[in-house]
Every structure is written in structure tokens, then in C-alpha cells.
Amino acid sequence: MDFWQALLLGGVYWLANIEMMYTFYWQMMDPLFLSVFVGLLFGNVPQAMIVGAYIQPMYLAFLGAGGTAAVDKAAAGIIPTAAVLSSGLPMEAAVALAVPVGLLMAQLHTVRRIVAATWVHMADGYAKTCNTRGIYLAGLVYHNLFKIVLLWLPMTLILYFGTDFTASLIQSLPAWLLNGLSVVSGLLPAMGFAMTVNVIGRPQFLPFFIGGFFLTQYTGVGMIPLALIGLFLAYLHFNYAKDDSGADSLADDGPETSEPSTTSARLLTKKDVTRTYLLWWYACEQSNSFERLQTLAFCVSLLPVLKKLYGHDSALFSQAIDRHLTFFNTEGIWGALIHGIVLAMEEQRAMGLPVADEAIQGIKVGLMGPLAGIGDTIDGSTIHPLITAAFIPAAAAGHWWAGILPFFLIGLIEFAEGLYFCHLGFQTGTRAALSLLQSGQIRKIITFASVLGLFMMGGLSASFVSVQTPLAIPTAADPMYIQTGILDAIAPGLLSISAVFAVYTYLKRGGTMLKATFYILGIGLVLGSLGILGALPVA
């Protein structure tokens, strides 16, 4: 790989990790999306898409819960794909390489979130003097300049010096160890599917996952007919299953504040609400810090409105900025409902109505948890993996558009959601949140999405999780292979689905993703190296 290719790919990595445009940034980090750009730089997009398609399943359901991420899926996509295209790294080795790369590079993001507290403290100082320019720089600029040093430079050096060395090292390994790596590459997608099942599905929905898996194993059905069948099953369950939604459960942790008094006069317009949402959408995760998480982005998004409401009085303006530099963290799409409610309350306060600081903070604190739970379930754990997964087979066939279309589909759908919720919150105030949280329809929507999602994940796992045994039982004639003679006769793909459920069971019992990954690596390497697992001998 030449230096300019490494430098440009380092820039792609930096752009993916700016985390701008909330509804797009998580797809921007996907190996499937980034493979398009790696392929363009090396002049081999089809091969890059194939590599991305086999790495992507491991990262279908990863969420940065609480502002953290255990893996760096952007690095896990860029480095192995670049190694395949520039140095001829074998596919199975590339999939296995994605794991340590993702884990190691994630540590840079830990550093980033520690350092990001610096920008928040800067904003605290700027709030005292109503220095809005300083707050914008702290929330939108400084952290991205820092990421050039923290992310762009290391990635460039790793790509320039490391990919050729890694490829030559792996290609010199003995056959038994390469078989171990091959087994690991077949096992690792089980992690992604198991996490998806764990996140989006209640235990009573597991038969839908199993049904999707074996339907694909027996028939080889394509993604479009599989999706149509899944939609039909979800529709039947939605309409005819017993309603056990427990509508009140979502409202248990909701706020107990009364609705502020309303008035026919308004100081803010729809344009003000839209601008607030656009700033939040753009900045939501950019300045995320361990100390106060999304606080700086929340404050930045409200600055134009706060200036409009209180700009005539520097003391009131400073207090308003301070009020929104307190801790804040939620899911950015459904959580936009909070922004709309807060706008309505700040408007009423500016008009002289008795809206206390405690009431505004109470709304933020009371709603950010429940709305994060709903948003992460519907958007992060269902819409994103479901749409992304639907394009993986096309990517595995080398089609470039399979990396681009999910990016736009998911991003635009979720952008429209967030804009709607922000305006809904402004128009109806706390009634919107309480009505939403207490509505049994939310549970029904989650149930519909879970049934469809699990069925689709089952079908995809049949294609991307590959676990076989080459062991054979000696007979007088030809040996009888356990895989084809026994296991496939019982149910094709039995070892593959067993691997998924083994990981699922471990996670369900409190196991962590990090430990599960190491277990998969260890078990796969050992059983593959010993010849217990691996591809069947070619006749």
C-alpha cells in the first residue's frame, strides 16, 4: 500500500468517527459502507464488498450504550479489507483479524471521551460570559481537530506499515493454524446474530429466529421472499396474538411533573424548532464525554433559541446556558421529544410564567431513560440491523450499492422520526411524552419489529454462520462423515445454530460481549487446529 492510499483511508476513518449527523453516523462506521471506499481506492470494489459482507454480521447489533463502545467497527472494516486488497490476505484471516483490530482501536475512543470533558469545561467558562461562539467551537470544532491527531494519524501509520506485514505473517502460518483461523471466521458472525437476538427478542419470539434459519437452510430462499414471509408472520402475530404488552410498564420511570400552563401567544416558530433539531442531529454524539455525555451537544442545539428568548438580558441568558450544561444522555431520535418539550417550557418561562429550573431539569432527567430504551430498541436494535442485514447477501455478491443504500434508507427514515418527535414535543409539551410512554401501541410496534427482525436474522445466520466438522467414522467402505451422514440428516446447519444459541445463552446469563469474543477465538482456534471443526474434505 502506498502512502497516499494510507493517508486517504486514514481520512475516511476520521470522517466515519466524527459522528456527525446522528441518524447517519452509525451506518457510516459499518464495514459494509466503508468497504465501498476501500474498494474505490484500490480499484476493486466487488472484492472489497465481499470482505465487508463477511465482517458486517459481527457488528449488526452493537450499540454504544452509555456513550461507550466495546469495539471500533470502522477500524474492523477498513484494516482487514485493505489488507485483502493490497496484500492478498486470505478472507478467513481477514474476518479473524477484524476482532483484535476492533478491540484495540476502541481504546482510542476511550481516550477521546476522557479528553472530551475538556471541551465541556471550556463551555462552562464560556457560559459565564455568554460567549456563544466559544460554545459552538467547543461543541463542533475542537474535538474534531483533536480526532485528526488521535484517529487519522494512527490509522494512516497502521495501514502504511502494518497491512503488508500482517498479510505476509498470516500467509506463512502452518495449515493447521490456518484451519483454526478459518473456523474462527465461521464462528464469529454468531456473535453478531446472538447479540441481535438478545437485544431485540424476548424468549417467546425465538421460534421465529429458528424458523427463519431452517427455512433458509432447507430452501435457500432469497432475502426478498424471506422478508415478505417475515412481514406476513409479524402481521399475523400483531393482529392475533394475545395482548400482553403491559402498557404501563414503559411509564414507570417517567416524570411526574404537571403540564406547564399554556397560552395562545408563542415566541418561537416551527423554524426555531427545526433549527434546534438540526443542530442536535448534527452534533449529538460529536462531543460525547464520560463526564457529562451528550451535555455539550444538547446545549449547542438550544443556543439559538436561548439567545432569542433571553439574549436581551445577559444574566438570564447565562443562567439558561448553565441550565443546559448539566448531565444529559439519551437516544438521539426518540430523545428529540425532550428538546421539543424543553423548548416549550423555556418559551413559557421567557413569557413570565412560573416554570422553575427544577421542572425543566425534571423533564430532562425523567424522560431521557425511558425514551432511550424505546429508541435503542426500535431504531438501534431493530431498524438498523434489519435493513443492513437485508443488503448483506447483495454485498457478498460484490454489488457496491449494497453498502450505500442502507446508509441512506436508515438515515432518512430515522431523520424524519426525530424531526417529528421534536415538533411533537414542542406542540403538546409533557402530554406528548406521557401519552407516548403510557401507550400500549409502543409495545405492539416493538413486538412487530421483533418478530420480523428475528425471522430475518435467523435466515441470515443460516448464510453467514458456518460451523462444520470434518470428523468421520471409519467403515468397511468409505468413511461416514459425521457432518453429512448424521448431523445434516437430522437438520442441516445444526452446528451453526447451536453456536448462535450457545453465545446467546451466555449473553443472556450476564456474560459480556468482550469475554464471549475471546471464548469464540479460543474455542475456534483450538478445535480448528485439532481438526475437530473445519471444512469437509474436497472429494
Side-chain angles (χ1 to χ4, degrees):
M1 178 184 303
D2 66 41
F3 176 76
W4 292 109
Q5 286 175 318
L7 183 65
L8 288 172
L9 274 183
V12 170
Y13 176 65
W14 172 74
L15 282 171
N17 283 285
I18 286 180
E19 297 178 302
M20 59 183 174
M21 303 182 300
Y22 184 85
T23 62
F24 288 96
Y25 90 91
W26 200 236
Q27 296 86 259
M28 205 178 296
M29 297 179 182
D30 275 337
L32 209 62
F33 177 74
L34 293 170
S35 293
V36 177
F37 299 95
V38 180
L40 285 172
L41 278 172
F42 287 98
N44 192 350
V45 174
Q47 182 61 38
M49 295 308 302
I50 293 170
V51 180
Y54 280 89
I55 294 175
Q56 182 65 54
M58 291 187 283
Y59 303 105
L60 279 176
F62 283 156
L63 293 172
T68 62
V71 297
D72 183 339
K73 60 178 182 175
I78 289 174
I79 294 177
T81 306
V84 170
L85 298 185
S86 69
S87 308
L89 185 73
M91 176 71 73
E92 61 272 12
V95 175
L97 178 63
V99 174
V101 164
L103 293 172
L104 290 172
M105 295 298 283
Q107 306 317 306
L108 295 178
H109 298 278
T110 300
V111 175
R112 174 171 69 84
R113 285 185 166 90
I114 292 172
V115 174
T118 304
W119 326 130
V120 182
H121 292 301
M122 281 185 179
D124 289 337
Y126 294 142
K128 291 180 173 59
T129 59
C130 301
N131 183 351
T132 55
R133 181 177 181 274
I135 296 174
Y136 282 127
L137 288 172
L140 300 173
V141 178
Y142 294 151
H143 49 85
N144 288 329
L145 295 177
F146 174 67
K147 289 175 190 175
I148 293 176
V149 177
L150 183 69
L151 302 176
W152 190 335
L153 181 59
M155 177 59 75
T156 298
L157 295 175
I158 289 170
L159 290 169
Y160 184 62
F161 291 108
T163 52
D164 292 343
F165 172 76
T166 301
S168 61
L169 177 65
I170 290 178
Q171 288 169 342
S172 67
L173 296 176
W176 58 268
L177 190 52
L178 288 174
N179 187 65
L181 289 173
S182 178
V183 170
V184 167
S185 71
L187 275 170
L188 280 172
M191 166 63 72
F193 290 113
M195 286 192 66
T196 305
V197 173
N198 188 42
V199 171
I200 73 172
R202 286 179 279 172
Q204 60 265 40
F205 297 150
L206 289 180
F208 292 102
F209 178 88
I210 297 170
F213 179 89
F214 284 113
L215 177 65
T216 303
Q217 282 286 355
Y218 279 107
T219 67
V221 64
M223 282 302 303
I224 293 178
L226 187 71
L228 292 174
I229 296 170
L231 284 168
F232 178 68
L233 292 174
Y235 171 80
L236 291 178
H237 190 278
F238 181 86
N239 283 280
Y240 299 110
K242 180 182 177 181
D243 183 6
D244 60 348
S245 61
D248 293 337
S249 63
L250 281 173
D252 290 343
D253 297 323
E256 296 181 359
T257 58
S258 59
E259 181 73 22
S261 301
T262 59
T263 177
S264 58
R266 306 224 73 158
L267 300 177
L268 301 179
T269 65
K270 289 183 178 180
K271 184 177 179 180
D272 293 318
V273 180
T274 299
R275 180 166 53 179
T276 297
Y277 175 69
L278 289 175
L279 280 169
W280 169 249
W281 169 77
Y282 181 77
C284 179
E285 290 292 337
Q286 289 191 35
S287 55
N288 199 315
S289 69
F290 283 135
E291 184 174 325
R292 280 184 253 172
L293 294 169
Q294 298 167 336
T295 291
L296 192 47
F298 189 93
C299 181
V300 164
S301 69
L302 262 67
L303 271 183
V305 164
L306 297 179
K307 187 172 184 178
K308 182 175 182 178
L309 296 175
Y310 305 109
H312 62 281
D313 186 321
S314 58
L316 291 177
F317 189 24
S318 176
Q319 291 171 12
I321 296 172
D322 254 344
R323 192 157 53 241
H324 298 296
L325 280 173
T326 55
F327 179 88
F328 186 81
N329 190 49
T330 192
E331 193 268 344
I333 301 163
W334 288 69
L337 188 74
I338 300 172
H339 293 67
I341 296 171
V342 169
L343 288 181
M345 297 179 78
E346 288 287 2
E347 179 188 53
Q348 292 176 354
R349 181 185 173 106
M351 294 168 65
L353 295 175
V355 180
D357 284 5
E358 293 76 13
I360 297 174
Q361 297 297 350
I363 284 294
K364 291 167 64 176
V365 172
L367 291 179
M368 63 187 185
L371 289 175
I374 296 172
D376 282 340
T377 300
I378 293 178
D379 292 308
S381 301
T382 304
I383 291 178
H384 177 263
L386 187 58
I387 293 178
T388 302
F391 286 89
I392 290 178
H399 299 298
W400 64 269
W401 48 263
I404 300 297
L405 286 183
F407 172 82
F408 285 107
L409 282 175
I410 298 167
L412 292 174
I413 289 170
E414 294 181 348
F415 176 86
E417 281 183 67
L419 183 61
Y420 167 76
F421 287 129
C422 191
H423 280 276
L424 176 66
F426 179 67
Q427 291 298 326
T428 58
T430 54
R431 290 195 310 273
L434 294 174
S435 174
L436 181 67
L437 294 174
Q438 292 169 350
S439 172
Q441 291 301 313
I442 290 296
R443 285 289 186 192
K444 288 185 177 181
I445 292 170
I446 292 174
T447 295
F448 183 92
S450 296
V451 170
L452 175 60
L454 286 176
F455 187 77
M456 295 291 292
M457 290 302 113
L460 279 164
S461 65
S463 302
F464 287 90
V465 181
S466 177
V467 186
Q468 293 182 312
T469 176
L471 297 179
I473 300 173
T475 62
D478 294 330
M480 182 178 71
Y481 289 101
I482 293 175
Q483 182 67 51
T484 55
I486 299 176
L487 296 177
D488 287 349
I490 298 172
L494 195 58
L495 288 179
S496 297
I497 196 171
S498 297
V500 174
F501 275 102
V503 180
Y504 166 77
T505 302
Y506 173 75
L507 296 174
K508 201 70 177 176
R509 291 179 178 177
T512 66
M513 179 279 301
L514 186 61
K515 288 183 179 179
T517 301
F518 282 121
Y519 284 142
I520 290 173
L521 284 170
I523 292 170
L525 281 173
V526 170
L527 296 183
S529 298
L530 293 175
I532 297 173
L533 294 179
L536 294 173
V538 179

